[in-house]
Amino acid sequence: MRIVLGTVPFLVLILLSWKFHQRGGSWRASILSAAVVWGVAVTVITEGLSSLRLLSFWWVLAAWLAVAVAVLAMDHGWDRPATCDGPTEAWRVGRWWLALAGSAVILLATGFIAVVAPPNTWDSLVYHMPRVAHWIQNGAVAHYPTHIPKQLYLAPWAEFAILQAQILSGGDRFANLIQWLAMLGSLLGVSLIARQLGGNARSQIVAPVICVTIPMGILQASGTQNDYVVAFWLVCFAYYACVFTKHEDGLWDARKAWWMGASLGMAVLTKATAYIFSVPFLTWIILDSVWHRRKHLWRTLGIVALAVLILNMGHYLRNMGVYGSLLGPGREGPFVYANEAFGPSALISNAVRNIVLHLGTPEERVNASLESGVRWLHAQLRADINDPKTTWLHSPFHVTPPRAHDGLAGNLVHSMLIAVSCAMLLRGRALRRRADLLAYAAALVAAFLLFSSYLKWQPWHSRLHLPLFVLWSPCIAVIWESYRRMTGILVALLLVLSVPWVVYNNSRPLLGPDTVLSSSRVDQYFSDRTGLREPYVTAMRELRDTGCSRIGLWIGGDGGEYPVWILAGQAGGERQARIEHINVKNESAHLRSHARDSFDPCAILVITDLPSIPVPFPFNGSVYRLRLRAPPVVLFVRE
């Protein structure tokens, strides 16, 4: 019964979509508008209950039931969604039903994997999911002492949504669905953007096909990274921006500004890359308003800014309290996110290396030739290809074969498709006359260049590019709409090429010896680090034998913390044990642990590659003797 209650927030989302549709909006626009309202509700419920330290099962359930009652009661006064769509959608699908069917198969397959498999991407086990476990334990999303600062300062909206379902269901069975729902929403959103860009019914079918077949998107849709979530909110923002720029009558509507602001607010509350990707679209809005002499530009921008500020205020204040910065420290120890050198050479270097992340092939000779070409270009620029001022520390550039991993996969075919589409747009006289299409494409190019100019190159940047590939989908579909036969071939090719990415996800394979259909859930948590399963399981079994329920945790910065919560039976907040970080030396060390009394562990779990660990282990005036050493896990128990 408890797990069924985890669906309550999702049922409210369905209810909202139905209510918006009742007001005359198309189904697609209604679902997008409902998602925005639902996202705001997630934020308000989380921040509101957290401020009172009431993030617990009954309070969260009561909050969502109150939202459901409010939605049902508001039969009058609902505003029609901010859309130019009519109340009906007369799609002439014809032979394109196969494209929709293929997309549905991918969507259903990834959704099935999302429900069956646990969260197991290593990044998720390091900070995405542990922060949720700490919030449930603390009854609040306030910052807490931790050895892994990313659990604190990184934008939290995706984890807010996971938190709601995890508190209600008592486990992480629905954690992966947040990314999958973002994929579903993005498919609807890109079809609407295609319509706003002047695309016909066929373009509105092709755009979701292009989107659903993005390899990185397929891999991420069944996990708990947050790149698809930020992509969805940016899709909403881009759609409402298109709606705003379509109105050339000079009339101003505060509702349009609110929809843009709420979408953008949740985008930046999900991932800081949204700040970068949104700047060109905001510039487009400003230039369009100036060109058409809109009288209320500053009022519009004010509402957008206010919505962003209100939605992010809680996270901003928490970061300011610990780091003195809205976005956190901007670094991970010696690793700095932003470029330390700027100029044409730095921009070209980063842009080229970011593009090449998607061009790796299974053929090593091709990869070697491509890498040689990039090195030659850097020689002409007189730039170091691994310059630490523009490159993530200890991450040398190499062209690698494709990997079906949601942190490293490239989008080769889609990258080529973007390049060809840009050429078609520039060469096609009729296409160049479509100002909105040209402006939209220019905004995406500018977003990529801005990304490359600001952030240091990293080998895993391909996952951060996912929002750009999603946003390119409607633009590509509209550019290709006059080539019906070529578009049909393209759609078939994309659907066929997507099959390996669907069934052979490295972390969550649908087929093969380690399939999610037969592997135990515990085994799947360690699919990215199979060698760590035995040390973790052995240490936690030994810990259970001691009967200790107060566990001190000393963990390295890249240590997978979440399996500790799972193996201790704590992920759903059953409160059988308490887990807290000890010996914290970073900026969060001064924070309170939120325990009702001082934390006095009876056992200490050390997960680190450090060669020297004091034996016996002293802490808070007590001595802890060695109970188990199973590198990198070491267990100490108080004498």
Side-chain angles (χ1 to χ4, degrees), residues 297-538:
L297 170 61
W298 295 111
R299 196 179 301 177
T300 298
L301 294 178
I303 292 176
V304 171
L306 183 62
V308 171
L309 183 61
I310 290 173
L311 288 169
N312 287 268
M313 182 61 71
H315 185 59
Y316 286 161
L317 291 176
R318 290 189 288 272
N319 275 345
M320 285 295 296
V322 177
Y323 301 104
S325 168
L326 299 181
L327 301 182
R331 61 191 303 145
E332 296 176 27
F335 300 88
V336 180
Y337 293 119
N339 278 328
E340 298 172 275
F342 298 91
S345 294
L347 173 58
I348 294 172
S349 170
N350 276 1
V352 168
R353 288 184 295 166
N354 278 317
I355 291 171
V356 172
L357 283 173
H358 301 280
L359 304 185
T361 71
E363 181 54 55
E364 287 291 351
R365 287 179 298 179
V366 175
N367 295 341
S369 298
L370 184 57
E371 184 172 328
S372 296
V374 176
R375 293 184 181 278
W376 174 86
L377 175 62
H378 279 76
Q380 304 309 304
L381 295 172
R382 297 183 180 179
D384 180 1
I385 197 171
N386 296 313
D387 185 352
K389 293 182 178 180
T390 59
T391 306
W392 192 252
L393 201 59
H394 310 313
S395 301
F397 172 80
H398 292 293
V399 179
T400 58
R403 287 186 57 188
H405 189 275
D406 56 8
L408 297 168
N411 305 313
L412 174 60
V413 175
H414 288 74
S415 297
M416 298 170 62
L417 191 54
I418 290 172
V420 172
S421 299
C422 287
M424 294 168 64
L425 180 60
L426 294 175
R427 288 176 60 88
R429 184 177 301 176
L431 290 173
R432 288 202 308 270
R433 286 198 294 264
R434 298 171 67 169
D436 53 350
L437 183 62
L438 200 59
Y440 184 90
L444 292 177
V445 172
F448 172 73
L449 294 177
L450 190 59
F451 177 95
S452 299
S453 68
Y454 181 72
L455 292 178
K456 286 186 176 181
W457 179 86
Q458 301 175 11
W460 44 88
H461 260 178
S462 58
R463 70 181 178 86
L464 304 187
H465 298 159
L466 178 60
L468 292 179
F469 281 91
V470 172
L471 288 166
W472 266 109
S473 302
C475 190
I476 294 170
V478 173
I479 290 172
W480 283 66
E481 71 179 10
S482 60
Y483 301 92
R484 179 167 183 164
R485 181 170 298 179
M486 290 177 60
T487 302
I489 295 172
L490 172 65
V491 165
L493 178 65
L494 290 174
L495 290 172
V496 170
L497 292 177
S498 69
V499 173
W501 304 101
V502 174
V503 299
Y504 294 118
N505 186 321
N506 286 171
S507 301
R508 298 171 293 278
L510 194 55
L511 299 179
D514 299 318
T515 171
V516 297
L517 299 175
S518 59
S519 298
S520 73
R521 199 164 177 86
V522 170
D523 287 345
Q524 290 181 58
Y525 281 111
F526 295 95
S527 63
D528 271 3
R529 300 285 195 280
T530 54
L532 294 180
R533 181 195 182 282
E534 197 57 35
Y536 273 76
V537 171
T538 302

Side-chain angles (χ1 to χ4, degrees), residues 146-167:
T146 176
H147 293 282
I148 306 172
K150 290 185 290 186
Q151 293 180 3
L152 305 182
Y153 66 81
L154 291 182
W157 190 91
E159 290 81 17
F160 281 1
I162 293 172
L163 172 70
Q164 303 292 319
Q166 195 140 328
I167 287 176

